[in-house]
Amino acid sequence: MPETPEHPTHHIDFSSVLAAAVHDMKNSLSLLIQSIEQLSEVIDAADNQANAQVASVHYEATRLNTSLVQLLSLYRTQLDTLPVTVEQCFIADLLEDVMGAVRLYKQHKNVSVSVQCDDDLSWYLDSELVYMLINDAIINALRYGKQHIQVSAFVEHDELVIKVEDDGEGYPLHMLKQSQTRMAEFTLSQGRTGLGIFFARLIASAHTRGQKKGRIILSNGGLYSGSVFEVKIP
């Protein structure tokens, strides 16, 4: 039907509808994750099968929630509205919060995770965005690591460095290449793995000071001869 004053044509912005749906799904998943965590507290610690199932469901729900958060944030960047709220943050507290969030998956994988960070280390950053970035990095380390993971935070060359090292097989070549690709040329064809790298780079680069931008560095080797994930924030 042609557009007339009596019958205006309404164009539905599908991307906005999708963003609203993603936001609603994310909220529902957050409630589901809370319920799973509450369930884990009442299960008999000796029931290994039940605890393993709960940990597996918690991991998958958390993974989906992370992906939805990433998609929603990417949509907002298309509107130039990625919210970045820079405030003073104590890094040890941030890492403690992340470790609390991955507690069930860590127990299920039976991996030793050490955290090296001075209690008085603080930095100006968006704690929610950096939390999501580090949470995803640690989840990946838990997934691919074998026995040991180290998370460390320190200041080097006037930048905050947060590093996650594991004893897995290391990053595949295509991930190492993607971490160095210019953002404008970045492709998401690698699925969720590609999205995770893109999202991490987006968060890091949103933190600026003068002419310096935050960045991520992926490499192999490090403390355990496995994957090394670094985020550097000026």
Side-chain angles (χ1 to χ4, degrees):
M1 179 184 295
E3 184 173 353
T4 66
E6 294 81 13
H7 300 91
T9 301
H10 296 286
H11 300 284
I12 297 175
D13 182 359
F14 180 71
S15 62
S16 296
V17 174
L18 184 61
V22 167
H23 188 271
D24 186 56
M25 288 186 286
K26 180 179 70 67
N27 290 338
S28 295
L29 269 173
S30 294
L31 292 175
L32 175 61
I33 291 169
Q34 291 177 10
S35 297
I36 295 171
E37 291 173 348
Q38 291 172 356
L39 177 62
S40 71
E41 295 176 357
V42 299
I43 294 179
D44 187 350
D47 191 337
N48 294 329
Q49 182 177 0
N51 280 287
Q53 289 176 337
V54 168
S56 178
V57 172
H58 183 269
Y59 164 73
E60 293 297 340
T62 301
R63 184 176 68 85
L64 286 173
N65 188 64
T66 298
S67 294
L68 290 176
V69 169
Q70 292 173 347
L71 288 172
L72 189 59
S73 297
L74 290 174
Y75 167 75
R76 288 172 175 167
T77 61
Q78 297 302 308
L79 304 178
D80 295 324
T81 58
L82 179 65
V84 178
T85 304
V86 175
E87 297 177 334
Q88 184 179 23
C89 172
F90 283 91
I91 307 304
D93 293 342
L94 185 149
L95 296 179
E96 183 178 356
D97 289 342
V98 174
M99 293 309 303
V102 302
R103 175 181 58 85
L104 288 178
Y105 193 48
K106 173 180 172 293
Q107 291 175 349
H108 173 59
K109 294 287 290 186
N110 194 28
V111 174
S112 171
V113 182
S114 63
V115 179
Q116 306 291 329
C117 178
D118 290 339
D119 290 339
D120 59 353
L121 174 59
S122 66
W123 209 256
Y124 283 87
L125 47 76
D126 188 311
S127 58
E128 291 188 8
L129 289 177
V130 175
Y131 169 94
M132 288 189 289
L133 187 158
I134 299 302
N135 181 80
D136 204 38
I138 293 177
I139 285 290
N140 284 330
L142 286 168
R143 182 178 182 182
Y144 296 107
K146 298 175 181 177
Q147 293 181 306
H148 302 289
I149 295 172
Q150 177 167 289
V151 183
S152 55
F154 51 91
V155 177
E156 184 178 68
H157 304 310
D158 205 25
E159 292 180 313
L160 171 68
V161 180
I162 303 179
K163 181 184 295 188
V164 180
E165 303 173 81
D166 65 53
D167 61 351
E169 299 298 324
Y171 290 114
L173 182 60
H174 76 267
M175 287 187 66
L176 296 176
K177 288 182 177 179
Q178 276 199 319
S179 69
Q180 300 173 7
T181 303
R182 289 196 311 162
M183 293 290 279
E185 300 173 354
F186 198 94
T187 174
L188 297 181
S189 61
Q190 298 294 336
R192 180 177 177 271
T193 299
L195 178 60
I197 298 173
F198 187 86
F199 187 64
R201 293 182 64 184
L202 187 67
I203 290 176
S205 63
H207 290 79
T208 62
R209 188 175 63 178
Q211 299 298 315
K212 300 183 68 175
K213 285 188 175 183
R215 62 198 189 280
I216 68 164
I217 299 172
L218 305 185
S219 60
N220 292 328
L223 186 64
Y224 301 118
S225 300
S227 301
V228 180
F229 175 96
E230 294 178 87
V231 55
K232 298 189 176 185
I233 300 177

